[in-house]
Amino acid sequence: QVQLVESGGDLVQAGDSLRLSCAVSGRTFRPWVTAWFRQAPGKERDFVAAINWGGTTNYADSAKGRFTISRDNAKNTIALQMNSLKPEDTAVYYCALRRSSGITDNHQLYDYWGQGTRLTVSS
């Protein structure tokens, strides 16, 4: 079993930066992919960014140039650094893990999920 716990969500202003963190514990055998998704009220869950155990990353178009996903193997955490935040980034952000080496933006293919952390960006 794998447990994911997100933290770092907050209320910020447009243009601010924020760092989300996901603590990963349990049986995280390789290969794996860890991703960030987000879900705004009344909308579907959207892919934001992902990183696999080899360090390969992938980003949604909305995240490219503003967000950076990274991992700290010693601390078993996955971080999402978000810069130049916009009101449209407002959502609940979820950390997810998939037991595979292949990065995908399909949330249905991820096996484990955290409870989410809320980000609100005011204009």
Side-chain angles (χ1 to χ4, degrees):
Q1 195 64 283
V2 174
Q3 295 80 41
L4 306 169
V5 179
E6 304 96 332
S7 61
D10 204 349
L11 169 62
V12 299
Q13 293 187 337
D16 285 352
S17 297
L18 193 70
R19 186 179 181 88
L20 303 181
S21 184
C22 174
V24 183
S25 61
R27 295 179 175 270
T28 55
F29 300 124
R30 296 178 180 178
W32 52 258
V33 174
T34 303
W36 286 95
F37 288 80
R38 66 186 183 186
Q39 188 165 18
K43 296 189 177 181
E44 294 187 353
R45 191 164 295 190
D46 291 332
F47 173 77
V48 177
I51 186 168
N52 70 5
W53 65 274
T56 300
T57 59
N58 193 23
Y59 295 90
D61 288 343
S62 60
K64 288 178 181 176
R66 297 190 301 131
F67 296 0
T68 302
I69 189 170
S70 61
R71 62 180 184 180
D72 185 330
N73 290 335
K75 296 181 179 179
N76 275 350
T77 58
I78 305 294
L80 184 68
Q81 177 66 40
M82 302 183 292
N83 300 326
S84 302
L85 285 165
K86 305 174 182 179
E88 50 263 44
D89 294 319
T90 295
V92 176
Y93 283 71
Y94 296 92
C95 180
L97 186 142
R98 180 183 187 219
R99 292 195 183 281
S100 169
S101 59
I103 292 179
T104 176
D105 60 4
N106 184 347
H107 66 88
Q108 295 180 326
L109 297 180
Y110 285 79
D111 304 300
Y112 302 95
W113 291 85
Q115 82 289 349
T117 185
R118 186 176 300 276
L119 167 65
T120 303
V121 184
S122 64
S123 57

